Amino acid sequence: MWLKSSLVSLASLVVTPLLLPLGSVSASPAVQPPSPVASTMEAITVENFTVGDRVEVQRNNQWRSGEILSVQFLEQKTIYSVRYLDIGFTENNVRGDRLRKKTTSRPQARRIFQVGLPVIVAEGETYREGVITGYQLGGYGGDRYEISYNDDSHTTNVKRHQLLTLAEAQALGFETDNYDLSTPEAIAEMLDIHNEWRAKVGVAPLTWSDELVEHSKIWAEHLLAERDMYHRPVSQNPHGENLAKATKRHMTPSFVVNLWGSEVKDYDYESNQCMGLMCGHYTQMVWHETTQLGCAMAREDDFEIWVCSYDPPGNYAGERPYPMVETTALETASE
């Protein structure tokens, strides 16, 4: 049975009773020839190994823990494909004289990648970043994982040896996505994606506000403690507010903002109403009088919450998020 991840949820704040109905819904390198064994290395007897055996591999005059992934018999020689357990790197064409049984009798714990974990997936010479959304352990072919990639594509039947954690990938020199707002790069991503949506309707870009960051952080930590998502009371919040939460998966700044922005399909400019479930996240992001943005997120175990605050706030009843004249100018420019 596949273990599935939970869906993403979100909510947006209305400053006064609105025409825009808002709320929260559920959404979500070439292998180098082996170096000669140093004279200080002990002599070993070539043994036969099978798929799944835990072994020690001689590489660069060191013995390193590994796992046999495949066995081939070529020209009366046996060669192996071995995955190094410390970094996840796979080496092919390993001769038997470079392998030995593990010297420790202590059993190795089965490595399981949990639902919601961001990972790097090796697909031949290509490496893709995504999040584990399900898995099936054991059975024919071994453990298999279901992956939702960061480009919104999806795949199943990914083998365990194809996966690297982000820490393992970064140790190997891979660049990975941002999954929080702890770095200048992540903050820039959050701000830039907001401004991309605003540019589509011709309104001025936002600037980042540290004061709004602190305001958002207080509420994000409050919601994390309660494992819930709801807006700060209007009487206690002079700013606009967008919320998003996820369980058993990690979101990126781009994912969060584009989740809100996807509501554009449900907003009808002529009637200034939401034609679908909600569109208030989108209208707040592109509100032409808003000039500043500050966001925060909080995560613990399998739950995370994202909060963005906007000043001045938007989503006033009876007002459109941006003037009609700007829409007309954009349409003329695109013709």
Side-chain angles (χ1 to χ4, degrees):
M1 178 178 294
W2 287 98
L3 177 61
K4 297 290 185 177
S5 68
S6 297
L7 300 178
V8 175
S9 300
L10 41 85
S12 181
L13 176 68
V14 181
V15 176
T16 62
L18 301 183
L19 286 175
L20 309 178
L22 305 175
S24 65
V25 298
S26 293
S28 188
V31 176
Q32 299 298 322
S35 58
V37 179
S39 59
T40 57
M41 299 293 290
E42 61 183 278
I44 61 174
T45 301
V46 176
E47 300 185 49
N48 290 323
F49 301 95
T50 61
V51 173
D53 282 352
R54 296 298 177 91
V55 296
E56 292 186 329
V57 191
Q58 189 278 320
R59 184 178 175 87
N60 297 331
N61 297 331
Q62 292 181 335
W63 290 105
R64 300 170 63 175
S65 296
E67 178 184 14
I68 303 297
L69 300 181
S70 67
V71 183
Q72 296 185 49
F73 303 93
L74 300 175
E75 299 177 355
Q76 299 182 338
K77 294 182 180 179
T78 304
I79 58 174
Y80 301 88
S81 176
V82 180
R83 179 175 185 261
Y84 292 89
L85 299 180
D86 52 355
I87 59 173
F89 171 72
T90 299
E91 181 178 357
N92 300 315
N93 302 322
V94 178
R95 302 191 311 267
D97 59 2
R98 292 178 53 206
L99 303 174
R100 71 182 184 186
K101 292 182 178 180
K102 288 189 66 64
T103 56
T104 177
S105 59
R106 189 156 111 198
Q108 291 271 342
R110 184 179 195 173
R111 191 182 194 193
I112 299 175
F113 295 85
Q114 298 297 329
V115 168
L117 181 71
V119 292
I120 298 293
V121 183
E123 297 179 345
E125 297 299 318
T126 302
Y127 296 86
R128 303 177 64 189
E129 190 166 351
V131 176
I132 293 175
T133 55
Y135 58 76
Q136 186 175 36
L137 303 180
Y140 180 76
D143 300 347
R144 294 174 294 161
Y145 290 85
E146 184 178 277
I147 307 294
S148 177
Y149 291 110
N150 290 359
D151 60 5
D152 291 333
S153 60
H154 194 79
T155 189
T156 59
N157 296 326
V158 174
K159 302 294 182 65
R160 179 162 47 94
H161 70 268
Q162 295 178 253
L163 302 177
L164 292 173
T165 66
L166 295 189
E168 291 169 338
Q170 291 165 355
L172 292 173
F174 289 93
E175 293 185 2
T176 60
D177 285 339
N178 301 301
Y179 292 92
D180 53 34
L181 294 171
S182 63
T183 65
E185 292 79 13
I187 292 172
E189 180 183 343
M190 176 63 82
L191 181 61
D192 289 347
I193 302 300
H194 266 85
N195 287 334
E196 286 179 12
W197 280 100
R198 293 174 66 83
K200 292 177 182 180
V201 295
V203 296
L206 302 173
T207 59
W208 193 255
S209 165
D210 291 337
E211 181 180 342
L212 291 178
V213 170
E214 290 304 311
H215 182 77
S216 299
K217 182 179 179 181
I218 292 171
W219 195 241
E221 292 177 347
H222 171 80
L223 294 177
L224 179 67
E226 294 195 356
R227 295 295 181 106
D228 202 354
M229 182 180 69
Y230 56 91
H231 284 292
R232 195 186 319 232
V234 174
S235 60
Q236 302 174 21
N237 191 10
H239 310 295
E241 183 176 87
N242 278 354
L243 306 177
K245 76 172 182 179
T247 56
K248 297 184 178 179
R249 73 154 295 159
H250 290 192
M251 298 190 290
T252 67
S254 294
F255 183 93
V256 172
V257 179
N258 288 330
L259 187 68
W260 296 332
S262 66
E263 294 174 6
V264 63
K265 67 183 183 300
D266 296 320
Y267 174 63
D268 180 67
Y269 188 87
E270 295 299 324
S271 64
N272 193 31
Q273 291 185 359
C274 298
M275 307 307 291
L277 290 172
M278 64 173 64
C279 62
H281 305 91
Y282 167 70
T283 54
Q284 172 60 86
M285 287 202 308
V286 299
W287 198 265
H288 69 108
E289 293 178 333
T290 299
T291 61
Q292 291 188 309
L293 168 72
C295 306
M297 66 83 59
R299 177 187 294 127
E300 186 176 64
D301 300 328
D302 62 351
F303 181 88
E304 65 181 65
I305 187 84
W306 295 66
V307 179
C308 280
S309 298
Y310 304 82
D311 191 76
N315 284 350
Y316 285 98
E319 296 185 23
R320 286 181 168 82
Y322 47 86
M324 175 73 78
V325 63
E326 297 181 11
T327 304
T328 304
L330 285 176
E331 291 174 349
T332 302
S334 65
E335 293 177 353

